[in-house]
Amino acid sequence: MKVRHNKGGGDEKVELQMTPMIDIVFQLLVFFIMTFKIVSQEGDFNIKMPLAAPAAGAPDDLQLPPMKVRLRADADGMLAGMSLNDTGVPTMKDLRIRIIGFVGDDRGPGSIQETAEVELDCDYGLRYEHVIQAITAVSGDIDGAGNVVKLVEKIKFAPPRQPAGG
Amino acid sequence: MRVAKKTSEGILEGDLTPMIDMTFQLIAFFMVLINFSQAEQNEEIQLPDSQLAKPPDGPLEFPITIHLTTEGMAIIGAQKVPIAALSPFLVKEKQVLASQGKGANEATIIIRAHRDAQTGHVQELIQKCQENDFEKFALRAKEDVGNN
């Protein structure tokens, strides 16, 4: 077989054209930098609220009455006061302590933690962030190791109140 | 003045390898972190913070996202409507669910309300969904990484 030899003697350096590749690479880089957006994690608080239906049969004796959390708003919609079962609670931290005291360490099927229910009764004009703060306070706690300790899982809203002056 | 004469005709070649290495690393970094899933997001809405707002373990089966602005306007899909005018959209969602053999009670309404929205508006939104047989709701919040 005849092998064709390189006429140049083999010492020629083959040069790659880098310019188009660098062009594209920089365009990609600019695209990713421009579209980059740091998005914080989001999570949900689940609420099951079927439309109130006429009770079928006798009420369940084992079902505890819901703990009523009342959130009052000032004229600006900021949290003006809070109570749990008509007893004043100064802060969200105190609300959580009261809920922990109620639920205790009882966990598992049929436990107080599983059956307990919280009903949120909020002023119409209250800013939603305070509602989420209250839901956070009643639904769980973060222990020293950073783990979430679940408290009350059943949360519902009381019927909406009328807007102030409405 | 004495000018030094150029003695060589050769082309001066810079070493491009480190720059290309760095550039590719940057591209890889941005590609990994880029998030295109902004279908559920809305720039008008600033979610409230919560320490317990952790991403769910798995995706919801039939999620319907409704945004709620500070003015009490609901945004469903690309439509911005008053809460009172939400029913036709919910009926449409129910029809979509029915075509898949599912009921409204199996869907989850994800409420993405602005942190400064009035609670009364959120409750009105929930009521409107209840009237259309939806009963599962997820109140969305942003993860608070602070220590408060």
Side-chain angles (χ1 to χ4, degrees):
Chain A
M1 196 174 71
K2 202 172 181 180
V3 179
R4 189 176 289 173
H5 288 282
N6 194 350
K7 279 184 180 175
D11 282 343
E12 278 181 14
K13 198 175 175 185
V14 180
E15 282 193 19
L16 287 171
Q17 274 292 329
M18 300 294 276
T19 319
M21 190 191 76
I22 292 170
D23 279 355
I24 295 294
V25 164
F26 273 108
Q27 282 204 27
L28 279 171
L29 188 60
V30 169
F31 168 76
F32 283 119
I33 289 173
M34 300 291 273
T35 52
F36 184 65
K37 192 180 170 189
I38 297 170
V39 180
S40 51
Q41 302 265 41
E42 293 180 5
D44 296 327
F45 292 102
N46 294 314
I47 291 181
K48 192 167 184 184
M49 276 181 64
L51 196 63
D60 189 357
D61 291 338
L62 296 172
Q63 179 66 49
L64 295 162
M67 291 178 272
K68 292 192 177 179
V69 177
R70 172 86 175 93
L71 302 174
R72 289 180 198 82
D74 63 14
D76 296 325
M78 303 307 287
L79 188 65
M82 187 169 39
S83 62
L84 174 65
N85 289 336
D86 296 327
T87 311
V89 183
T91 62
M92 292 293 172
K93 203 175 173 183
D94 294 310
L95 177 63
R96 179 176 287 140
I97 291 166
R98 296 274 298 275
I99 296 287
I100 291 170
F102 182 79
V103 171
D105 295 328
D106 190 17
R107 297 285 187 277
S111 62
I112 297 174
Q113 184 261 335
E114 200 188 64
T115 53
E117 191 174 22
V118 165
E119 186 182 79
L120 294 168
D121 185 6
C122 313
D123 277 350
Y124 190 95
L126 181 71
R127 290 191 190 196
Y128 179 62
E129 63 180 324
H130 299 299
V131 178
I132 292 294
Q133 283 169 4
I135 292 175
T136 304
V138 301
S139 63
D141 191 17
I142 294 179
D143 64 12
N147 301 314
V148 176
V149 180
K150 284 187 177 175
L151 297 173
V152 179
E153 291 183 49
K154 291 182 184 171
I155 297 165
K156 65 176 182 179
F157 284 99
R161 288 173 175 268
Q162 291 302 308
Chain B
M1 196 175 74
R2 205 168 172 188
V3 179
K5 278 187 183 172
K6 213 176 186 181
T7 51
S8 166
E9 291 288 318
I11 302 165
L12 189 65
E13 281 188 22
D15 190 5
L16 293 173
T17 318
M19 188 192 74
I20 293 169
D21 278 356
M22 275 308 297
T23 314
F24 273 113
Q25 281 203 26
L26 282 170
I27 287 179
F29 170 77
F30 285 113
M31 276 177 75
V32 169
L33 291 188
I34 198 166
N35 183 11
F36 284 114
S37 62
Q38 294 182 353
E40 281 192 357
Q41 306 208 350
N42 191 298
E43 286 184 357
E44 273 188 67
I45 309 298
Q46 277 182 34
L47 293 178
D49 299 325
S50 171
Q51 284 179 313
L52 301 182
K54 306 282 181 207
D57 296 331
L60 296 167
E61 211 171 347
F62 298 104
I64 299 165
T65 305
I66 303 177
H67 307 269
L68 187 70
T69 66
T70 44
E71 302 88 36
M73 297 290 281
I75 302 171
I76 183 165
Q79 302 287 321
K80 192 173 184 179
V81 291
I83 294 168
L86 205 55
S87 282
F89 297 93
L90 294 172
V91 168
K92 214 176 279 177
E93 294 289 350
K94 268 171 73 175
Q95 286 168 350
V96 172
L97 285 164
S99 68
Q100 295 174 14
K102 303 287 176 186
N105 56 351
E106 291 172 79
T108 305
I109 304 280
I110 299 171
I111 297 176
R112 295 185 86 254
H114 194 285
R115 59 193 309 157
D116 295 333
Q118 292 188 327
T119 305
H121 289 152
V122 178
Q123 288 185 273
E124 282 174 5
L125 175 61
I126 290 174
Q127 259 189 343
K128 187 55 75 179
C129 296
Q130 286 175 323
E131 286 166 14
N132 286 281
D133 305 328
F134 291 97
E135 55 184 55
K136 283 198 277 184
F137 301 92
L139 304 180
R140 188 149 284 184
K142 194 172 69 181
E143 187 179 13
D144 181 13
V145 287
N147 297 317
N148 52 343

